[in-house]
Amino acid sequence: TTEGRSLSYDWLILSLGCRTLIEDIDGLPEQWGKTIHGFYTPDSALALAKGLEDFEGGDLLVDVAEMPIKCPVAPLEFTFLVDHYLSQRGIRDKTKLTLVTPLSGAFTKPVCNQVLTSILVDKGINVVPNASLASVTENSMFCPDGQQVGFDLMVTIPPHEGSPLIEDADLGDGLGFGRTDKQTLKSTLAERVFLVGDNAGILGSKAGSVAHFQADAVVHNILREIAGQEAEPCADGHTN
C-alpha cells in the first residue's frame, strides 16, 4: 500500500535500505550539529562541512557507533580525506586524529584490517578498537565498558536500523532488517518475497556492489519460480 493506492503482486522485491538513528545514543540529539556531526545524510554532511571549516585544531574523532552500517569502508575513506584536508589547511600537526571503532581494527576482513590499520598508523592516525558508542556529552564519548575518549570535534556514524515497514509486515529481525535466506535471497518468513541490498538481514557488507550482485541472483531466481522451478542458492555475498 502506497500513499496513493494499493497494488497486488505475484512476487515482491524489498529494497528499502536502512537508516541512521541519532536518538539511539544518549546525548547525541542534543550535540548533533554542534560539536558532533555525521556525513550519512545530505543535511548532516553540509553541517559537517561548516564544522570542519571552523575547526582550528585539537582532538578530532571519527567514530563508528556500532555495526552494521551502510558502506563499511566509508568511515575509513572519510578519515583519509580529513587527514588530507587538514594537511591542505596547514593544521594537521595541530590535530590529534583518532578512529574509534567497535571492530578489532580498521576493517572487518583480516587482510584488509592489517593493511588499512598499518596505513592509518603510518599517517599518524590513532586507532581505538573494540569500542562501541554508548553515550556522549559536549566533548566526550563513552563506551559501554566505561571507556571515555575526549574530543573537540567528533564525526560519528550513528547506529543503523532497517525499515519499520519490514517490522510492520512481520518480516523482520526486530531491527528492521528482513529475515533472509543468504543464498537464495528469499524471505524466510514469506513466500515470493525477495530482499535486495541494505534491508536484507544477512551477514554481509551493506554496500552498493553487494546489492548489484544480489540483483542478478534475485532476477535469476524469480525467472526460475515463474517457470515453476525452485530458487537456487546462487548468491555468494561477494563484493568488490
Side-chain angles (χ1 to χ4, degrees), residues 20-229:
T20 55
L21 296 176
I22 298 168
E23 61 273 15
D24 272 17
I25 301 296
D26 288 344
L28 189 55
E30 291 78 9
Q31 301 305 325
W32 194 249
K34 298 175 183 176
T35 56
I36 304 177
H37 296 276
F39 56 80
Y40 268 57
T41 66
D43 287 344
S44 64
L46 288 170
L48 170 58
K50 180 66 168 59
L52 287 173
E53 287 177 3
D54 295 340
F55 183 71
E56 296 296 336
D59 290 327
L60 197 163
L61 296 188
V62 181
D63 167 70
V64 180
E66 64 183 32
M67 299 298 285
I69 60 172
K70 296 185 278 189
C71 191
V73 77
L76 285 173
E77 292 171 336
F78 175 79
T79 302
F80 291 131
L81 285 167
V82 81
D83 171 76
H84 181 67
Y85 169 78
L86 296 170
S87 299
Q88 284 185 317
R89 286 190 55 200
I91 59 171
R92 179 64 181 91
D93 60 349
K94 299 179 182 178
T95 304
K96 179 182 178 183
L97 184 55
T98 303
L99 173 67
V100 184
T101 174
L103 303 172
S104 60
F107 205 58
T108 52
K109 306 303 180 185
V111 174
C112 291
N113 182 24
Q114 181 180 357
V115 171
L116 291 168
T117 300
S118 67
I119 293 174
L120 288 166
V121 172
D122 289 344
K123 288 181 174 290
I125 299 168
N126 306 295
V127 180
V128 178
N130 304 310
S132 55
L133 181 60
S135 64
V136 295
T137 60
E138 182 180 4
N139 292 112
S140 291
M141 63 159 284
F142 298 88
C143 302
D145 62 3
Q147 182 179 189
Q148 177 180 352
V149 185
F151 61 84
D152 296 294
L153 180 66
M154 178 174 170
V155 182
T156 190
I157 292 83
H160 282 53
E161 284 192 5
S163 171
L165 296 173
I166 289 179
E167 292 300 326
D168 292 344
D170 294 325
L171 298 176
D173 60 358
L175 295 174
F177 299 107
R179 294 191 181 275
T180 312
D181 184 291
K182 65 181 181 179
Q183 292 184 301
T184 65
L185 301 179
K186 293 190 67 171
S187 168
T188 60
L189 299 175
E191 287 296 320
R192 296 189 176 187
V193 176
F194 290 82
L195 295 102
V196 168
D198 294 352
N199 67 182
I202 57 178
L203 290 175
S205 177
K206 296 189 181 302
S209 61
V210 173
H212 176 90
F213 297 126
Q214 286 177 341
D216 290 338
V218 168
V219 168
H220 174 79
N221 278 332
I222 288 179
L223 290 174
R224 284 184 60 84
E225 291 195 350
I226 289 173
Q229 301 169 321

